[in-house]
Amino acid sequence: MRVHQWVKNGAIFMPLFFHGKIFDPTLFVNSAWAFLGFSLIASSIYVFNDLRDVEEDINHPEKKFRPIAAGIITQNYAKYLILVLLTLSGLIFYGMFNSIWVWLCVWLYLVQNILYTVWLKKIALVDVIIISLGFVIRIFLGSAATDIYLSHWIIIMTFLLALFLAFAKRRDDLLLTTTTGVKHRSNIDGYNLEFLNAAIIISSAIVIVAYIMYTTSNEVILRTGKNIYLTSFFVIIGVFRYLQVVFVKQQSGNPTKVFLKDSFLQLIMIGWIISFGIILYFH
């Protein structure tokens, strides 16, 4: 179920946080239910993906330890687990939300990721775009669950940041293929090191510029005060730290695990959250 990947679904809380309503108990509970329901759907997709890729995973140096590839659980058990996860998620969304937009986000994510697992992940460039759109769907779900307006800046930054991380992950896949001589992804021929290096640098630069433009826009200054631009320092340092992980440490294969293990990135994230929160909620 890859529960550690649920960290990504924290994006559902972004509309609540950016609009200064994170302490509203009703809206927070709505976001929490959306987070739980969405996480169960995401886990069902992970299980489905492992079922589809079991033969490839067996030959992968890390993925061979996944439960299905390692023979720890049977494929029939995995299929039952998918049904249970989808049922529980459906009950949560049916019981807690009466919004067509919430259901639209849920179904769009589900259909998109089924297509990704079966077909789209085999197409270079399309695969990273689909991954990035998944994060955009998360913040739209958070918006729909709380009836909070989404700034176009948040949408753009979320897509760009996810694109940056996805390109970094593909770079790690390419290096692994070069090192082992085994093609672990069928779309790897659509990438080379020069392209991925350029894509990572370009997308990281645009992320920084977009965030600075967000913090200096009139819309945001009116809502948060003029000092919100100070949080840009954490974003800039965070991006450069991740670039260091990509190019120096060459450990960008799993962005979630990178964040969970890198104390430097964690400190930067905590600093950004605290500074942004103080400026937003006490300006």
Side-chain angles (χ1 to χ4, degrees):
M1 289 169 60
R2 305 188 209 176
V3 176
H4 67 278
Q5 297 282 8
W6 290 11
V7 172
K8 299 176 183 177
N9 303 333
I12 291 171
F13 291 93
M14 283 175 58
L16 207 59
F17 178 74
F18 278 107
H19 280 74
K21 296 181 180 180
I22 197 71
F23 296 116
D24 185 306
T26 302
L27 296 181
F28 185 85
V29 168
N30 284 348
S31 293
W33 278 115
F35 171 86
L36 179 59
F38 190 89
S39 295
L40 294 175
I41 288 178
S43 286
S44 72
I45 294 294
Y46 290 135
V47 178
F48 177 61
N49 177 79
D50 287 359
L51 276 172
R52 291 277 306 181
D53 294 350
V54 62
E55 297 300 328
E56 294 179 13
D57 289 351
I58 290 174
N59 297 315
H60 193 280
E62 294 181 6
K63 295 179 181 179
K64 66 182 179 181
F65 297 111
R66 288 177 176 176
I68 301 174
I72 298 173
I73 64 171
T74 65
Q75 293 192 25
N76 283 335
Y77 178 90
K79 293 174 183 177
Y80 289 131
L81 180 58
I82 292 174
L83 291 176
V84 170
L85 291 170
L86 289 176
T87 300
L88 289 174
S89 177
L91 290 173
I92 289 173
F93 283 112
Y94 179 79
M96 297 304 303
F97 301 102
N98 188 27
S99 167
I100 188 173
W101 299 110
V102 168
W103 280 100
L104 182 62
C105 290
V106 170
W107 279 107
L108 183 58
Y109 181 82
L110 189 60
V111 171
Q112 171 187 280
N113 279 275
I114 290 174
L115 290 175
Y116 173 83
T117 301
V118 174
W119 174 44
L120 296 178
K121 70 177 181 180
K122 300 175 183 178
I123 307 174
L125 198 58
V126 172
D127 60 330
V128 294
I129 292 173
I130 293 297
I131 292 171
S132 303
L133 289 176
F135 282 88
V136 174
I137 291 174
R138 286 172 171 88
I139 62 171
F140 270 111
L141 176 60
S143 172
T146 55
D147 290 323
I148 291 178
Y149 166 75
L150 268 184
S151 166
H152 61 282
W153 286 113
I154 297 177
I155 299 170
I156 292 172
M157 285 188 299
T158 299
F159 179 77
L160 288 172
L161 182 59
L163 199 61
F164 164 59
L165 297 175
F167 277 130
K169 188 176 187 305
R170 286 296 172 267
R171 184 180 188 276
D172 191 83
D173 293 334
L174 179 62
L175 291 177
L176 182 63
T177 298
T178 303
T179 303
T180 62
V182 179
K183 190 184 297 184
H184 298 288
R185 285 186 176 273
S186 58
N187 68 349
I188 205 67
D189 291 333
Y191 296 110
N192 61 35
L193 202 57
E194 291 78 11
F195 170 77
L196 289 171
N197 288 344
I200 290 167
I201 293 171
I202 291 171
S203 57
S204 64
I206 299 175
V207 166
I208 293 174
V209 171
Y211 188 83
I212 292 173
M213 291 180 68
Y214 162 74
T215 58
T216 56
S217 66
N218 291 330
E219 171 197 349
V220 174
I221 291 175
L222 287 173
R223 192 174 71 250
T224 66
K226 62 181 181 179
N227 293 322
I228 200 69
Y229 77 94
L230 294 172
T231 61
S232 300
F233 293 105
F234 291 101
V235 173
I236 294 169
I237 295 170
V239 169
F240 276 106
R241 172 57 176 178
Y242 204 87
L243 287 173
Q244 184 183 41
V245 171
V246 173
F247 293 117
V248 180
K249 296 189 174 184
Q250 298 188 3
Q251 297 175 351
S252 58
N254 190 320
T256 304
K257 288 185 177 180
V258 169
F259 175 76
L260 292 176
K261 293 180 179 180
D262 194 304
S263 56
F264 193 173
L265 279 175
Q266 292 169 7
L267 287 173
I268 293 170
M269 177 62 74
I270 292 171
W272 175 80
I273 291 174
I274 292 175
S275 61
F276 198 102
I278 290 174
I279 296 171
L280 176 60
Y281 289 90
F282 301 102
H283 74 279

